[in-house]
Amino acid sequence: MSQRAYDQAKVDGLDEEILDFRHKAVPASLHGMSIGALAARRLGLAELQTPLLTLDESAMDFNARLLAAWCDDHGVLLAPHGKTTMSPELWARQIELGAWGMTLANAAQLRVARAFGFTRLMLANSLTDPQAIRWAAGQAEDGARIVSWVDSAETVALLERELAGHGTLDVIVERGGAGGRTGARSHEEALSIARTVHASAALRLVGVGGYEGALAHTADDAGLGAVRGYLGEVARLHGELLAEGLYDADEVLVTAGGSAYFDDVVEVLAPVRDAGGTGRPRVEIVLRSGAYIIHDDGFYRGISPFSRQDPDGEQSFRPAMHAWVRVVSQPEPGLAILEGGKRDLPFDEGLPVPQLISDGLGEPATELRKAEITAVNDQHAFLRFAEGTEIRPGQVIRLGLSHPCTALDKWTLIPVLDTVADPERAAVVGAVRTFF
């Protein structure tokens, strides 16, 4: 499967990239070295420079295998949302573990996937740019399948106009929810859109879906109630399309599920699965979780189905990303200024949390207590700490982060650490290239 799903040689070729000024985690002393050579040398953290974002190899591997096994156990497919990492190397890892394909958010991200030979792609969005529409339709000639979304009659008309003479596209009708993001806001509207797609010569209706994460941000009764009610509407829409015979494919995709509520998605949508048969398409549930492979110490730590009850449990996802920043100033009592800011660290789902402090990268660290980051500027963070805590310029602080989707996008190259062989002195065993 993997050899047909992506171009192994192009993914492996990432190791040949030469490190230089474009990679802000890499000091000048390592410029001219390839990524592959960097990994082979198993450098220590001390040979890198701050500010720095790192990934933990064992945590990523554990997370990827955990969800892959869970999906297999529950009989659902996984099309991880690649926008989280924009890393063809990590996408390939997910495909190797059985992912149906990759999900992406826009045409630029689709082009990255196609550049590395990924052939089964879902665009969790509507195509409305004329050039992107024609390009996506043309990818079928190279053996790729792109499934995009529609949520209005106007979008259907736009696609038909731009596709005239340029091929066809597979589409999913997106059911939205009040106050959510995209998607038809009513059952009747979504049903009408599906009928229009079915009647189109340029489009094939291959499924229904949407995104429940836009309707809730908590795992309390109110949040879960909103999510489950919405998912019930997705299932209802699918049932009517099936009954009317509006699907144009032998395999129908019913898709939802980010990294926060995938258990609810499967529980609510599982009854619509169908192995198919005479006159009936096969119906598959497709999850699109993306953040799980990286996880975090913030938002997802609290809301993930695997960690709501016990974030540190043996079967909970493990945070695979951390930032390392130096103290650049200690200008007044109880305040330290750190070198990492909005250009380096995520802040939209909670500010970074100080965890450890040491005298240098790779040096023995101790827990940093009674300290918090209260604000971030473009390139700096404000660390407030209690009286009696000693912090001085040059020290290194490890930060726990929240929201991988807005962490990895700030780095073109992210060192990957082996924290198992020697937890005290983690070695660099690889580097992830991102293409945001």
Side-chain angles (χ1 to χ4, degrees), residues 241-263:
L241 302 190
L242 194 63
E244 283 196 31
L246 297 180
Y247 288 123
D248 304 310
D250 295 331
E251 178 187 67
V252 169
L253 309 176
V254 179
T255 178
S259 294
Y261 305 108
F262 56 80
D263 58 337

Side-chain angles (χ1 to χ4, degrees), residues 264-333:
D264 295 286
V265 169
V266 172
E267 185 175 342
V268 175
L269 296 183
V272 311
R273 285 179 298 185
D274 194 324
T278 304
R280 295 199 322 273
R282 184 173 70 257
V283 179
E284 299 281 9
I285 308 301
V286 183
L287 294 180
R288 304 189 313 276
S289 310
Y292 75 95
I293 191 171
I294 304 298
H295 199 51
D296 66 14
D297 282 304
F299 174 70
Y300 286 108
R301 173 181 169 84
I303 204 169
S304 165
F306 291 163
S307 61
R308 290 174 196 162
Q309 303 304 318
D310 183 5
D312 298 313
E314 290 186 3
Q315 292 303 302
S316 297
F317 291 132
R318 301 171 182 175
M321 64 175 182
H322 293 95
W324 310 76
V325 296
R326 291 186 191 274
V327 179
V328 294
S329 178
Q330 205 271 292
E332 60 187 64

Side-chain angles (χ1 to χ4, degrees), residues 171-429:
V171 297
I172 281 173
V173 172
E174 181 188 3
R175 177 67 162 94
R181 200 164 58 190
T182 54
R185 290 304 198 250
S186 73
H187 176 79
E188 291 71 22
E189 181 185 6
L191 187 57
S192 176
I193 294 166
R195 290 167 177 157
T196 303
V197 171
H198 179 64
S200 172
L203 304 174
R204 291 198 327 142
L205 183 60
V206 301
V208 299
Y211 177 50
E212 76 289 342
L215 303 176
H217 214 64
T218 62
D220 57 16
D221 289 344
L224 295 179
V227 165
R228 294 174 71 87
Y230 164 74
L231 293 169
E233 288 299 309
V234 172
R236 177 187 171 205
L237 176 62
H238 163 72
E240 290 209 26
L241 302 190
L242 194 63
E244 283 196 31
L246 297 180
Y247 288 123
D248 304 310
D250 295 331
E251 178 187 67
V252 169
L253 309 176
V254 179
T255 178
S259 294
Y261 305 108
F262 56 80
D263 58 337
D264 295 286
V265 169
V266 172
E267 185 175 342
V268 175
L269 296 183
V272 311
R273 285 179 298 185
D274 194 324
T278 304
R280 295 199 322 273
R282 184 173 70 257
V283 179
E284 299 281 9
I285 308 301
V286 183
L287 294 180
R288 304 189 313 276
S289 310
Y292 75 95
I293 191 171
I294 304 298
H295 199 51
D296 66 14
D297 282 304
F299 174 70
Y300 286 108
R301 173 181 169 84
I303 204 169
S304 165
F306 291 163
S307 61
R308 290 174 196 162
Q309 303 304 318
D310 183 5
D312 298 313
E314 290 186 3
Q315 292 303 302
S316 297
F317 291 132
R318 301 171 182 175
M321 64 175 182
H322 293 95
W324 310 76
V325 296
R326 291 186 191 274
V327 179
V328 294
S329 178
Q330 205 271 292
E332 60 187 64
L335 173 65
I337 306 299
L338 311 181
E339 62 184 337
K342 295 179 181 179
R343 302 287 176 84
D344 312 294
L345 311 170
F347 56 92
D348 59 312
E349 292 286 1
L351 293 174
V353 176
Q355 295 178 328
L356 303 174
I357 187 168
S358 64
D359 288 333
L361 275 176
E363 296 296 320
T366 58
E367 186 177 354
L368 181 55
R369 301 176 179 176
K370 296 182 179 180
E372 67 173 329
I373 290 178
T374 58
V376 288
N377 293 157
D378 286 353
Q379 307 289 173
H380 298 93
F382 290 71
L383 179 75
R384 299 285 180 178
F385 57 92
E387 183 178 356
T389 301
E390 181 183 352
I391 295 180
R392 61 183 184 277
Q395 287 186 300
V396 173
I397 295 175
R398 193 188 82 174
L399 302 173
L401 306 174
S402 181
H403 201 195
C405 301
T406 53
L408 275 65
D409 66 324
K410 297 167 175 56
W411 300 83
T412 57
L413 181 139
I414 308 170
V416 176
L417 305 180
D418 173 6
T419 59
V420 175
D422 187 352
E424 291 298 318
R425 293 187 177 276
V428 178
V429 293

